[in-house]
Amino acid sequence: MQVREGYAEFRGYRTWFRVTGDLNSGRLPLIVAHGGPGCTHDYVDSFKDLAATGRAVVHYDQVGNGRSTHLPGVSPDFWTVALFLAELDNLIEHLEISDYALLGQSWGGMLGAEHAVRQPAGLKALIIANSPASMALWSEAADELRQALPREVQATLLRHETAGTTDSAEYHAAAEVFYARHVCRVQPVPAEVERTNVAIEEDPTVYHAMNGPTEFHVIGSMRHWSIIDRLPRILVPTLLISGRFDEATPATVQPFADGISDVRWQIFEQSSHMPHVEEREACMACVDGFLAPFG
C-alpha cells in the first residue's frame, strides 16, 4: 500500500498529513478530520482501512496538535473555527485534490459541517460521525448522562468543577467512568486511542481553549457554537454516524437529520463515541457502502 507523509505550510506553521493509497487512483479520496478540538489523527487511524478498496485516505493533525506545529503560548482566542477551516482549505490545495469526500469525527464533524455549508465545489460527499449540531444540545445531553453515573462519581465531578480543581487525579479518575461508558467502550482503550489521550495530556492547549477540561464540562470558546440554522445550506449527500451509547446522543444529532436535505443516519448498537474502534469492520463497511456510488 502506498503511504506518503509530509507537511503543508500554513500561515508560517506546518500541518502534518499522511496519504494512504493513491490520490490518482480514479476513486474519490476521503479526507479525515479528527476531533477535540485538540485531539490527533491517531484515534481515527482505522479509517485508513478504506484505502484497501482503492480509495486514498488522507489523515492530518490539525495545527496545535500531534505532529503539526504546536503553539502553547498563544492567546486562547487564536483558536477559532475559521482558523481550522482555512487550514483544511490549505491542505486540500496543497495536495491538489479537486474532488473529495470529507469525514469528520466529533469536533471534526462540526468542522466538516462548517466546511459543507460554504458549498465548496470539490466536496462531493460528507460524513458526520458522532457530532452534535450545537454545543447547547451537547451540554444538555452530557448533564443527562452524568445523572446516570454512580452518585459518588457525580459528587466528585461537581466538587472539583466548583472548586476549579479539574486538573486533580481524583477528578480525572471520576471522568474516566463517564468515558468508559460514553466515549470508548473498548477497555482498556486500544493503543491508537491511548496515543491521542496521551497527546492531549502532554499539550492540552487547543482542547482547553475551545472545549474545556473534559468532554462534559464545556467552558471553552466553543460553548455557544451551533450550526442548526445553517444546515439547509449543506447540499451534498450526507451520512450521519453515531453509537447507541454515544455522548453525542440522538437528540444532539437529530438537527442534522432534520436540516440536511440528502441525509441518512446509521446508529451502531454496540458503540459509544467511537464506532470506528468499537465496531470497526461494520463502521468501515458502512462508510464504504455510502461512498461506493461516488467512485
Side-chain angles (χ1 to χ4, degrees):
M1 180 71 67
Q2 178 179 332
V3 178
R4 174 166 65 100
E5 295 186 25
Y7 292 92
E9 298 299 322
F10 172 64
R11 297 183 178 177
Y13 313 121
R14 299 203 302 174
T15 301
W16 174 88
F17 67 84
R18 184 190 68 208
V19 181
T20 307
D22 183 2
L23 285 171
N24 298 312
S25 68
R27 302 207 72 191
L28 190 71
L30 176 66
I31 301 171
V32 180
H34 66 69
C39 291
T40 67
H41 80 283
D42 299 272
Y43 83 99
V44 286
D45 191 59
S46 58
F47 287 109
K48 70 184 180 186
D49 293 355
L50 294 165
T53 68
R55 184 185 314 284
V57 179
V58 180
H59 283 83
Y60 73 105
D61 284 335
Q62 295 158 23
V63 68
N65 309 289
R67 302 178 190 182
S68 296
T69 302
H70 285 239
L71 297 160
V74 301
S75 171
D77 60 12
F78 174 85
W79 307 106
T80 63
V81 173
L83 172 75
F84 292 110
L85 284 172
E87 181 188 32
L88 176 57
D89 289 343
N90 182 72
L91 178 65
I92 293 168
E93 181 179 359
H94 176 84
L95 293 174
E96 299 181 334
I97 297 174
S98 54
D99 295 337
Y100 56 94
L102 176 61
L103 185 154
Q105 200 280 336
S106 196
W107 144 253
M110 298 155 66
L111 181 65
E114 289 276 3
H115 182 75
V117 298
R118 300 184 305 160
Q119 301 176 8
L123 180 65
K124 303 305 178 186
L126 176 66
I127 302 158
I128 299 173
N130 318 100
S131 308
S134 83
M135 290 309 290
L137 290 174
W138 174 272
S139 294
E140 289 173 12
D143 287 344
E144 292 179 6
L145 295 174
R146 282 176 61 147
Q147 290 171 19
L149 296 174
R151 288 179 180 269
E152 63 274 16
V153 173
Q154 294 184 52
T156 298
L157 293 173
L158 182 59
R159 182 171 67 255
H160 286 287
E161 288 164 2
T162 302
T165 52
T166 56
D167 57 348
S168 71
E170 186 181 42
Y171 182 79
H172 284 218
E176 287 299 325
V177 178
F178 180 97
Y179 292 163
R181 291 188 181 193
H182 303 297
V183 179
C184 184
R185 288 163 61 83
V186 177
Q187 295 291 320
V189 297
E192 68 270 24
V193 178
E194 182 61 18
R195 286 197 299 273
T196 289
N197 291 343
V198 169
I200 296 174
E201 291 176 7
E202 290 178 346
D203 185 359
T205 301
V206 183
Y207 189 74
H208 284 177
M210 297 184 74
N211 186 80
T214 63
E215 292 290 276
F216 46 80
H217 188 46
V218 180
I219 55 176
S221 62
M222 289 293 291
R223 65 189 181 280
H224 301 305
W225 176 87
S226 175
I227 200 167
I228 294 174
D229 62 345
R230 292 175 285 150
L231 290 175
R233 301 182 200 171
I234 298 179
L235 302 181
V236 295
T238 301
L239 171 66
L240 306 176
I241 289 174
S242 61
R244 181 60 65 190
F245 305 97
D246 205 332
E247 59 181 338
T249 65
T252 72
V253 179
Q254 189 64 49
F256 289 122
D258 295 338
I260 301 173
S261 58
D262 186 353
V263 67
R264 63 230 64 182
W265 186 358
Q266 177 67 49
I267 299 177
F268 288 88
E269 296 296 333
Q270 304 304 317
S271 294
S272 57
H273 199 52
M274 298 187 187
H276 59 278
V277 171
E278 298 161 294
E279 296 181 72
R280 181 168 176 165
E281 290 186 10
C283 184
M284 296 307 134
C286 175
V287 174
D288 182 50
F290 171 68
L291 292 177
F294 302 96

